[in-house]
Structure formats: structure tokens, C-alpha cells
Amino acid sequence: MSLFGNVSTINTSGKCILSFGCCDAMGHRLQFQSTRSFTPRSKKNVSPLKVVCVDYPRPDLDNTSNFLEAAYLSSTFRTSPRPSKPLKIVIAGAGLAGLSTAKYLADAGHKPILLEARDVLGGKVAAWKDDDGDWYETGLHIFFGAYPNIQNLFGELGINDRLQWKEHSMIFAMPNKPGEFSRFDFPDVLPAPLNGIWAILRNNEMLTWPEKVKFAIGLLPAMLGGQAYVEAQDGLSVQDWMRKQGIPDRVTTEVFIAMSKALNFINPDELSMQCILIALNRFLQEKHGSKMAFLDGSPPERLCMPIVDHIESLGGQVKLNSRIQKIELNKDGTVRNFLLSDGNVLEADAYVFATPVDILKLLLPEEWKPIPYFKKLDKLVGVPVINVHIWFDRKLKNTYDHLLFSRSPLLSVYADMSVTCKEYYDPNRSMLELVFAPAEEWISRSDTDIIDATMNELSRLFPDEISADGSKAKILKYKVVKTPRSVYKTVPDCEPCRPLQRSPIQGFYLAGDYTKQKYLASMEGAVLSGKFCAQAIVKDYELLASRGEVVAEASLV
């Protein structure tokens, strides 16, 4: 990978060392632009540096029960009987759900054709290059140790080295102490959940001891009740559940506002408590569950392209700029074909929609809408989110080589990508990537308004380095990426509305993090949904193959 110098990775500590030396979405409308005139930096003028990016070793994930379960599911596709006649499956949407579906169907010996409406892979992990060669992304993407299907996928593709693992900590800004941070450090010497309990008990800056005790007592039912209890809490918001358990509101304010916005881009008074409990269960029950990694470059190139290469090596196809205009039906209500906006018609043995749920609902045939399976989708609505990138004229000092929880009213999480990511590395200037959430009231506002509000919040996080009036660190340029409908909004009572991957329409399937799987709205959920979708199609092979023969015979009559 090209950087501003030579790059090597040494797994010894979590610091970035600099030394001088000689060196040579499918149908998803995103808005991104710069609205101010700044002088862009030129990479040609960067001082030659030898950059030694030092990351932590990959944690020991391969022997955990969740990793082994995910690995077994992956193996079933490779070891399944080779089909005498491979199925032709058309998949709409080249986000992680669609890519995963196509990858595992190709592993099983079938011939997927993956369609993407835009000219970029990745869906919600899409990214673009500006005229200076700098990347800007749809979101700030973190890969957790508690993502077993994602971790298996990296291993299957042979790209484990593309994850840059950070120290096992969670770092929160302190609004009452501008410029300071509070840490939850998970010791490696302790197993789960003791390492998480130790991290919480050792932090005395965010919660008092009485608050910790009340919070622990409140969590006891979840610990004792297991998955059945967790699922039963879907009807309560985080705020309502906390109050019901007698947990002080300050616990919600200090910790769970930040967690809620990071998990689903909404506040605790809206988020289903089930979402929080599932996250806590994954993070606390697995020793490395909450350990985080950054991808070493842009998701389309560093993650999506290896999946595409794998699919195509097995005879599958991936086509960009291929937008679905209409799902055309047979007389019996099954899918006859996908009509594309360019007039092309695609017929297949099976059809998959792996787009966001809002896009599916726009293209859903009228004949299907009264069916309960599809009718329940009405409650699943994508949440708006804004991703902000700001390139500064200097290196900011008050950052970490890590994800940071901002705990500000408008910002969710952020990172100095010029430090955390090898491809984005810059020894002289910082690039902050920030998730602006909740974004409901801001999605229609101008980029100028959003940047002004962001700078106002940053002046509190970096009081010695950033001022709202721009008199300190100056903006060289910025990008604002708006996603009007992102992951589904995980509000109370929406869990029963999440559909299984196999629809009641023979030969029609769904994939996406909104479909039924245990990892909610996340990259892990998207990949797992794709595996479940592929699994359903493989199981239905005989039915789909015979259906294809009947359709072929009928077309000849």
C-alpha cells in the first residue's frame, strides 16, 4: 500500500513511531460535497518520513465457541454436494449482506450474479476518493472481536493482516473536563467477564461506587435470565428499562447515551433495551469481544474487492451501475425477472434482495404488500446518519490511536484516521472522521451548518487546539456524507417485524442486517444474514432446480 513512506507493522505495542529516513448501495441516495473553498493539501509536499505503524497482535479468537460456530457454518458451503446444475441466483445490492450471500453461494458451487446500483461497492461501508487522493467514507467502521462471522470472512479471504488491532480499552471524552478522557481498560490476564467487570470497577471518573452497585444489581436479571430475558426486553427503551430496574439516570447519561448513539445512532429514550443487552452480552461474555480493530484502508478496496475476486474466481459475476427498476411477477405471484433501469431483463432460478429495507419497500410489488411477512416491514425504517471528515492544517495532540466516544450532544464516536489507519496516515496533519448523530433534525441542513456545529462540539473536545471561530487549528477541507436511511432504527417492539431470509414467495429471499439474526444492525449482522440467506437457498436446491426446469419448459410451449 502506498503511504508517505515505507510502512512496516510490528506487533509489540499500540503506539505509532515516526523516524526520519530515506524512502521512495443499492438505490441509496448519498450526498457528499465540500461547500467551502479551502486550499487542499498536496501529498507531494509531505516531508519524507519512514513510518512504523505499530499495532497490537490479533487476539486469540479462533478457539471461542462463537468463532467455531461461524467457521462451521462457512464450512458447510464448501463441503456441500456439488450441484449437478448450478443455480443462477440474481442478488440485488453489493453491500456486505449481498457480497456475503454471493460469496457463500459461490462456495457451494452456484453462480451468483450480484448487482449494485451505484458505481461503488460496499453499501453502508462504501467510500470514495477525492481529487487529492484522500478517502472519505459512509461511516466510521470498527471491527470487534465479538464479530465471529466477520473474523472468519477475513481468514477465509486470507486478509487477516488488514485489521489493525488497538489496545483493549474503551475511551470516553469527559464533557465536564474539556480535553480529558476516561478509560475502561480490559486486562489481558483476566478471563471474561472478569476483565470487563475489572474495567468497570477500576473507572471511578464516570460512575460512583453506589451507581456501579445499583447498575450491577439491575443487570442481575439479564445475567440470570439469559437469552430469553434479553429477548423479552425488546418492548422497553433503554431509558425505561434503566428506570424500571432502579438504576440512576446518571448511569444512562454518563455511559448509555454514548453507547446508544454508537450502536444505532439514536438516544436511549428511543433505542430498544434488547439492543444494549445483546451488545453487553457479546462484549462481556467473550474475553476479546470488545477489542476493536480498524481496517488498514478503504472498505471497498481492502475488504469488498477481495470478496469480489473470490466470487469471480468461482464463476460468479459482480456488476456495478445495475439498478433494479421493477420486480416483475408471474401469474402465480412468483418472480419472473428483475427489470433493470437500462432496460435489461435478468431471469434466474432464485432472486435475492440484499438492499436496505427502505429500498426493498419502494420496489415491493403491490401483490405482495398485504402478505404478513412483507406487511410487518412497515415498522422497520432506516435511521438517518451523517459522517463528517475534517482535514486540519496541523497534527492534533489530544487524540488516541483508537476509537473515541465523544459524549457530546451531536457527535457519537470519532477517530483521528491519520493515526489509526495506515492508508490514511499523515505525519503532519490530522483527519478527524466523526459520526454526527442523532441526525434526524440535521439530515436536511446544509453542509456548512453541519460543519459549524461539528466545530463547535470539537472546540469542547480540543479546547487548547480547536476553536469554533477557526482561530486555532484551521480546516483545509472537509467532506460531509449524508445517508438519509441507514441501518434500521432499533426501537422497542420491532424485533418481531424482522423477517427470516426465506420469504413465503418461492424463489425469493432477503439478506440484510434488518433480517432475522442475532447480531442486530451491524457489519456482523449483514454478513451473517448473507450466510443464512445462502444456507436457505442451498437447502432449497432441489425445489429451485425443478422450478427452473418447469419455467423453462413453459417458455418453450
Side-chain angles (χ1 to χ4, degrees):
M1 181 185 304
S2 174
L3 289 176
F4 303 112
N6 299 324
V7 177
S8 62
T9 303
I10 304 173
N11 291 324
T12 56
S13 72
K15 298 181 180 178
C16 194
I17 303 169
L18 310 183
S19 61
F20 289 90
C22 297
C23 57
D24 308 343
M26 175 71 194
H28 215 64
R29 185 170 181 264
L30 300 181
Q31 304 166 358
F32 41 94
Q33 59 182 356
S34 291
T35 56
R36 293 182 182 174
S37 177
F38 295 111
T39 303
R41 66 180 174 85
S42 172
K43 290 187 177 181
K44 296 179 182 178
N45 296 327
V46 174
S47 302
L49 288 171
K50 183 177 181 181
V51 181
V52 182
C53 292
V54 184
D55 296 315
Y56 283 73
R58 181 177 182 271
D60 182 17
L61 304 171
D62 299 3
N63 294 316
T64 64
S65 59
N66 285 325
F67 185 93
L68 293 172
E69 178 185 337
Y72 174 74
L73 180 54
S74 294
S75 72
T76 61
F77 298 105
R78 298 189 299 270
T79 60
S80 63
R82 298 298 90 180
S84 56
K85 180 187 175 186
L87 296 174
K88 177 182 176 183
I89 305 113
V90 176
I91 304 164
L96 288 181
L99 287 164
S100 172
T101 304
K103 190 265 186 195
Y104 292 105
L105 283 171
D107 283 349
H110 298 291
K111 304 300 178 187
I113 301 174
L114 183 58
L115 309 177
E116 169 56 46
R118 298 183 293 172
D119 61 355
V120 61
L121 297 165
K124 300 186 191 78
V125 301
W128 300 263
K129 254 185 184 177
D130 68 10
D131 292 340
D132 302 318
D134 292 315
W135 287 95
Y136 53 102
E137 305 180 346
T138 307
L140 182 52
H141 305 293
I142 302 299
F143 297 81
F144 286 95
Y147 284 0
N149 291 282
I150 284 275
Q151 298 303 332
N152 268 278
L153 179 60
F154 271 84
E156 292 161 24
L157 297 170
I159 56 172
N160 273 331
D161 60 341
R162 297 186 182 184
L163 288 177
Q164 292 182 253
W165 291 95
K166 307 304 178 183
E167 61 184 321
H168 199 172
S169 302
M170 289 190 172
I171 306 172
F172 292 75
M174 298 291 286
N176 58 329
K177 297 179 181 179
E180 295 186 21
F181 297 88
S182 181
R183 299 169 59 101
F184 291 88
D185 295 316
F186 296 72
D188 286 337
V189 295
L190 294 178
L194 294 179
N195 62 343
I197 294 171
W198 180 262
I200 294 169
L201 293 179
R202 288 275 294 176
N203 184 298
N204 294 316
E205 297 163 313
M206 292 176 66
L207 299 178
T208 65
W209 273 97
E211 288 167 342
K212 292 177 188 176
V213 170
K214 289 181 180 179
F215 179 45
I217 293 173
L219 279 179
L220 279 176
M223 295 177 182
L224 299 175
Q227 187 64 23
Y229 177 86
V230 170
E231 292 177 0
Q233 307 316 301
D234 179 51
L236 293 173
S237 70
V238 175
Q239 180 174 280
D240 291 342
W241 185 90
M242 293 286 185
R243 289 175 176 173
K244 180 182 176 182
Q245 300 303 113
I247 298 171
D249 283 350
R250 217 180 74 86
V251 175
T252 302
T253 303
E254 289 296 297
V255 178
F256 287 99
I257 286 180
M259 281 194 66
S260 297
K261 293 201 294 183
L263 286 169
N264 200 240
F265 313 126
I266 57 178
N267 282 317
D269 60 336
E270 290 189 279
L271 183 67
S272 167
M273 187 61 194
Q274 184 193 41
C275 182
I276 289 285
L277 290 176
I278 288 175
L280 287 175
N281 182 50
R282 299 295 169 200
F283 291 161
L284 294 178
Q285 295 302 321
E286 300 177 33
K287 180 176 179 178
H288 303 292
S290 56
K291 197 161 191 178
M292 305 179 206
F294 285 74
L295 192 61
D296 67 359
S298 72
E301 285 192 351
R302 303 299 286 168
L303 173 56
C304 299
M305 273 310 301
I307 305 175
V308 170
D309 292 341
H310 180 87
I311 293 167
E312 292 181 340
S313 73
L314 295 174
Q317 301 176 55
V318 179
K319 299 181 178 182
L320 300 178
N321 299 305
S322 300
R323 186 181 300 273
I324 306 294
Q325 179 177 310
K326 187 179 181 182
I327 303 172
E328 297 191 319
L329 304 183
N330 295 307
K331 290 182 179 179
D332 63 359
T334 58
V335 180
R336 182 168 78 244
N337 58 58
F338 281 174
L339 174 64
L340 305 189
S341 57
D342 62 5
N344 283 323
V345 172
L346 284 178
E347 296 182 353
D349 300 302
Y351 301 85
V352 177
F353 246 69
T355 70
V357 65
D358 302 276
I359 303 303
L360 168 65
K361 288 190 289 186
L362 285 175
L363 292 171
L364 206 62
E366 289 296 325
E367 297 91 325
W368 290 359
K369 290 181 178 179
I371 300 172
Y373 174 91
F374 296 109
K375 183 69 176 172
K376 290 191 295 185
L377 298 178
D378 290 345
K379 188 164 184 177
L380 300 181
V381 178
V383 63
V385 67
I386 299 170
N387 208 46
V388 178
H389 313 70
I390 304 177
W391 285 262
F392 288 96
D393 66 346
R394 67 196 67 181
K395 203 73 176 172
L396 299 173
K397 299 175 183 177
N398 198 32
T399 61
Y400 286 85
D401 182 9
H402 214 298
L403 179 75
L404 301 170
F405 293 83
S406 77
R407 300 176 72 212
S408 78
L410 296 178
L411 303 177
S412 170
V413 292
Y414 70 97
D416 185 346
M417 299 298 282
S418 71
V419 174
T420 61
C421 175
K422 291 175 187 173
E423 186 170 4
Y424 303 169
Y425 183 79
D426 188 329
N428 299 322
R429 302 173 181 89
S430 286
M431 188 278 269
L432 294 187
E433 185 172 341
L434 312 104
V435 178
F436 195 101
E440 188 83 47
E441 297 178 8
W442 289 86
I443 199 73
S444 60
R445 300 277 288 271
S446 71
D447 289 358
T448 304
D449 286 347
I450 292 166
I451 289 296
D452 288 344
T454 301
M455 287 295 287
N456 191 51
E457 294 299 310
L458 288 177
S459 68
R460 298 186 180 97
L461 293 170
F462 298 83
D464 298 328
E465 301 181 82
I466 295 177
S467 61
D469 63 6
S471 60
K472 296 177 183 177
K474 291 180 170 46
I475 299 177
L476 294 176
K477 63 180 179 179
Y478 66 78
K479 291 287 185 180
V480 174
V481 181
K482 297 178 179 178
T483 307
R485 290 287 181 263
S486 183
V487 296
Y488 77 96
K489 195 173 184 178
T490 313
V491 296
D493 295 319
C494 71
E495 185 65 23
C497 301
R498 298 175 70 190
L500 295 170
Q501 287 73 29
R502 180 190 285 112
S503 86
I505 305 299
Q506 191 177 102
F508 186 77
Y509 302 81
L510 299 180
D513 58 16
Y514 71 92
T515 63
K516 200 75 171 176
Q517 42 76 26
K518 60 184 179 181
Y519 287 92
L520 299 175
S522 63
M523 293 185 291
E524 171 70 10
V527 169
L528 181 56
S529 77
K531 292 173 89 168
F532 283 164
C533 182
Q535 183 183 52
I537 292 172
V538 170
K539 287 181 177 179
D540 293 346
Y541 170 70
E542 297 295 340
L543 177 66
L544 295 170
S546 61
R547 176 176 171 269
E549 291 171 3
V550 171
V551 171
E553 289 176 4
S555 65
L556 294 174
V557 175

